[in-house]
């Protein structure tokens, strides 16, 4: 595991600077903190726009909403922003059985090692705060229509996560990145409308394996589930 997390800039919690001046990021964070007071999620999704947009599609209503899921996705977030949010109220009062973490593709100022270390730092925080929960870390997806350096970087992050995450015990790694690259190396706009964000078809590719994994985890604790239904 990466030693010296203090030295990793991708593991330093920080809010998003309000450059536009409308305070939207902080307003959304405040809303999430409020949702923690009102909701009792079994599954918490947290991350960047890949998480946020999922809630806008039918797939969320079909597969994830029924699992009592909360969506704390914020477009543009880096590992630093997610760390800050989780340390500042987005885990208060909730005890999800599973947390789905999907972040890292926006960490443009950081190396692959730093990004992977930042993701592991978030997973570590989650295991500390939620000792009974499983953490599902989603692999970063490829981006850009043609092969490019950002794709190589995201693939390198995934390789590191695959080797580092098992040491946390509670963390599972789900990587569907290979499903999106065609044999000629291209990505289709039918899967990613802007060669980064997923279309409904793109989300379908992810949703089946993710839903299967979540159901498997939730069904592993039938006694607890029955207890909470009484």
């Amino acid at each position: 595991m990466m030693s010296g997390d203090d030295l990793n800039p991708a593991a330093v919690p920080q809010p998003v600077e309000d450059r536009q001046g409308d305070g939207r990021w902080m307003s959304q964070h405040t809303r999430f903190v409020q949702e923690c007071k009102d909701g009792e999620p079994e599954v918490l999704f947290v991350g960047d726009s890949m998480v946020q947009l999922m809630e806008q599609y039918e797939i969320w209503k079909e597969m994830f909403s029924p699992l009592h899921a909360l969506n704390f996705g914020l477009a543009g977030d880096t590992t630093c922003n997610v760390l800050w949010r989780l340390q500042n109220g987005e885990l208060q009062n909730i005890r999800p059985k599973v947390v789905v973490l999907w972040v890292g593709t926006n960490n443009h100022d950081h190396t692959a090692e730093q990004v992977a270390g930042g993701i592991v730092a978030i997973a570590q925080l989650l295991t500390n705060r939620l000792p009974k929960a499983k953490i599902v870390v989603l692999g970063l997806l490829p981006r850009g229509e043609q092969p490019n350096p950002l794709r190589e970087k995201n693939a390198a992050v995934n390789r590191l996560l695959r080797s580092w995450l098992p040491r946390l015990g509670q963390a599972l790694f789900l990587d569907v990145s290979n499903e999106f690259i065609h044999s000629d190396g291209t990505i289709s706009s039918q899967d990613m409308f802007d060669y980064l964000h997923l279309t409904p078809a793109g989300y379908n590719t992810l949703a089946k394996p993710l839903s299967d994994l979540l159901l498997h985890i939730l069904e592993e604790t039938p006694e607890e589930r029955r207890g909470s239904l009484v």
Side-chain angles (χ1 to χ4, degrees):
M1 189 79 64
M2 279 194 62
S3 56
D5 268 342
D6 331 335
L7 306 175
N8 179 3
V12 177
Q14 56 188 41
V16 166
E17 194 187 325
D18 183 26
R19 290 202 182 95
Q20 285 90 11
D22 59 9
R24 280 187 320 122
W25 187 86
M26 196 57 77
S27 298
Q28 292 174 94
H29 164 65
T30 306
R31 188 180 84 228
F32 295 157
V33 173
Q34 186 58 44
E35 282 183 38
C36 289
K37 295 184 178 124
D38 307 333
E40 293 186 2
E42 300 239 309
V43 184
L44 173 66
F45 282 72
V46 66
D48 55 29
S49 58
M50 307 302 280
V51 171
Q52 187 177 38
L53 287 171
M54 199 184 292
E55 201 174 3
Q56 307 305 317
Y57 292 122
E58 207 51 46
I59 199 82
W60 181 264
K61 286 195 210 76
E62 273 171 36
M63 289 184 142
F64 301 118
S65 219
L67 303 179
H68 304 290
L70 276 183
N71 186 312
F72 289 177
L74 276 183
D77 265 17
T78 65
T79 52
C80 306
N81 307 139
V82 168
L83 259 178
W84 188 91
R85 291 199 278 127
L86 294 176
Q87 287 183 1
N88 286 275
E90 291 188 19
L91 290 175
Q92 279 170 8
N93 308 311
I94 56 173
R95 289 282 169 274
K97 296 198 170 84
V98 195
V99 181
V100 178
L101 173 64
W102 204 8
V103 71
T105 199
N106 296 318
N107 282 66
H108 299 303
D109 298 336
H110 305 132
T111 66
E113 287 77 13
Q114 290 169 338
V115 178
I119 294 167
V120 169
I122 299 170
Q124 185 73 64
L125 170 76
L126 288 166
T127 57
N128 293 345
R129 294 277 182 94
L130 301 166
K132 291 185 172 165
K134 284 270 192 286
I135 317 301
V136 175
V137 177
L138 297 181
L140 303 187
L141 295 187
R143 39 186 301 162
E145 186 182 13
Q146 305 288 342
N148 64 80
L150 284 179
R151 265 201 216 177
E152 288 163 32
K153 178 179 160 184
N154 283 3
V157 170
N158 289 346
R159 283 194 296 275
L160 291 165
L161 290 173
R162 189 170 274 112
S163 100
W164 290 348
L165 283 169
R167 299 175 208 180
L168 284 182
Q170 287 164 252
L172 302 162
F173 185 54
L174 178 64
D175 181 13
V176 295
S177 54
N178 290 340
E179 303 286 326
F180 292 96
I181 301 175
H182 295 272
S183 52
D184 62 357
T186 61
I187 285 173
S188 164
S189 60
Q190 285 165 347
D191 287 325
M192 297 183 187
F193 57 85
D194 58 356
Y195 306 106
L196 171 64
H197 297 100
L198 295 171
T199 61
Y203 275 115
N204 277 333
T205 301
L206 167 77
K208 180 77 174 81
L210 178 56
S211 165
D212 288 349
L213 179 58
L214 293 177
L215 288 169
H216 177 69
I217 294 168
L218 292 170
E219 280 160 13
E220 275 183 347
T221 53
E223 297 80 11
E224 286 176 38
R225 282 177 71 82
R226 274 204 297 278
S228 67
L229 293 174
V230 170

